Amino acid sequence: DTGVSQDPRHKITKRGQNVTFRCDPISEHNRLYWYRQTLGQGPEFLTYFQNEAQLEKSRLLSDRFSAERPKGSFSTLEIQRTEQGDSAMYLCASSPRGFTRGDNEQFFGPGTRLTVL
Amino acid sequence: AQTVTQSQPEMSVQEAETVTLSCTYDTSENNYYLFWYKQPPSRQMILVIRQEAYKQQNATENRFSVNFQKAAKSFSLKISDSQLGDTAMYFCAFINGGGADGLTFGKGTHLIIQP
């Protein structure tokens, strides 16, 4: 198992364009989280999947953002009509089942750094 | 809503010294978990140590230990015998027992270990 992977690692786009990021969690981890991290800040929660179901969305996730996790495996995060304020590191994390029994460590991927020009 | 506060933006100590990073949090939950994560310059977040709120005993992982004061809502991290590889951003984080809201992070402390 190679851990959580994210693709691409870097993305430069022009304002108004659409972008899509992919996250491959650790196999058999049923929980998947997306976070956004801006320079000098801690990550901020965006959304949460349990298997294929999107169970929670932050108010940070505007209508231009959409996330999916088909078949409960990899996940995609799409940003439509990007704005300069969307420039940030987008982090994905996965966690195994049995959360309340203590298996609650979140394993983070390397992130996708988005720059909107 | 939960909040996590780290009041030390940056700390610098000499190699082999002991350093303590501060964290306070605010929540109305009774069932929750606290974490310290390390983010080295390569930026991949790594778990350092975890504390379940229902456990009174402070967690310890090798050179890393916590001082968990539930009534005071304080969760500090002590690093003993600091090493150059400990240089990183350290984030204190909170999650409620259900886990659906994700981690709430503090703003981080940039720890620099000087040779």
Side-chain angles (χ1 to χ4, degrees):
Chain A
D1 192 346
T2 57
V4 179
S5 61
Q6 292 187 244
D7 184 70
R9 295 290 304 276
H10 302 274
K11 179 69 176 180
I12 300 174
T13 191
K14 293 182 179 179
R15 188 177 54 186
Q17 298 294 306
N18 299 344
V19 294
T20 300
F21 311 140
R22 176 178 170 126
C23 170
D24 286 89
I26 294 171
S27 58
E28 298 184 354
H29 277 193
N30 67 333
R31 294 171 179 252
L32 187 146
Y33 300 83
W34 284 98
Y35 295 87
R36 181 175 69 187
Q37 185 177 24
T38 53
L39 200 61
Q41 301 294 318
E44 296 172 294
F45 169 72
L46 292 178
T47 191
Y48 161 64
F49 288 87
Q50 183 165 320
N51 299 311
E52 67 277 9
Q54 187 175 20
L55 297 184
E56 195 68 34
K57 291 194 293 186
S58 162
R59 285 173 293 180
L60 293 175
L61 212 67
S62 74
D63 292 344
R64 298 184 296 106
F65 288 69
S66 62
E68 295 182 341
R69 192 182 182 197
K71 302 179 183 178
S73 56
F74 71 93
S75 177
T76 58
L77 178 68
E78 180 183 16
I79 309 174
Q80 295 183 328
R81 305 181 303 281
T82 52
E83 301 172 356
Q84 288 185 326
D86 297 331
S87 294
M89 177 77 83
Y90 290 84
L91 298 170
C92 175
S94 70
S95 184
R97 60 174 61 240
F99 183 86
T100 56
R101 291 195 297 272
D103 295 330
N104 53 17
E105 176 181 351
Q106 292 188 23
F107 295 80
F108 282 82
T112 294
R113 179 172 293 286
L114 173 65
T115 301
V116 181
L117 302 176
Chain B
Q2 293 81 231
T3 59
V4 176
T5 302
Q6 293 180 250
S7 58
Q8 304 150 313
E10 185 170 289
M11 296 187 71
S12 179
V13 298
Q14 297 293 123
E15 194 176 6
E17 289 183 346
T18 294
V19 60
T20 299
L21 309 184
S22 302
C23 173
T24 58
Y25 61 95
D26 190 21
T27 182
S28 57
E29 300 277 340
N30 196 44
N31 178 26
Y32 56 89
Y33 302 81
L34 295 162
F35 306 84
W36 279 96
Y37 277 88
K38 170 184 178 181
Q39 192 174 41
S42 65
R43 299 188 70 87
Q44 186 144 6
M45 200 82 71
I46 304 165
L47 179 68
V48 174
I49 198 164
R50 158 180 52 208
Q51 176 79 43
E52 291 85 350
Y54 62 84
K55 288 187 178 178
Q56 292 186 340
Q57 186 173 6
N58 289 324
T60 299
E61 289 286 343
N62 300 313
R63 298 182 296 109
F64 300 88
S65 61
V66 298
N67 183 2
F68 173 47
Q69 301 290 326
K70 190 172 182 179
K73 295 180 181 174
S74 171
F75 183 61
S76 61
L77 173 69
K78 185 172 83 170
I79 305 174
S80 303
D81 186 27
S82 57
Q83 301 173 359
L84 297 178
D86 295 334
T87 293
M89 285 293 294
Y90 286 81
F91 292 98
C92 179
F94 168 105
I95 195 166
N96 63 34
D101 295 334
L103 289 160
T104 299
F105 286 86
K107 289 188 175 183
T109 297
H110 184 206
L111 177 64
I112 301 168
I113 308 299
Q114 305 275 9

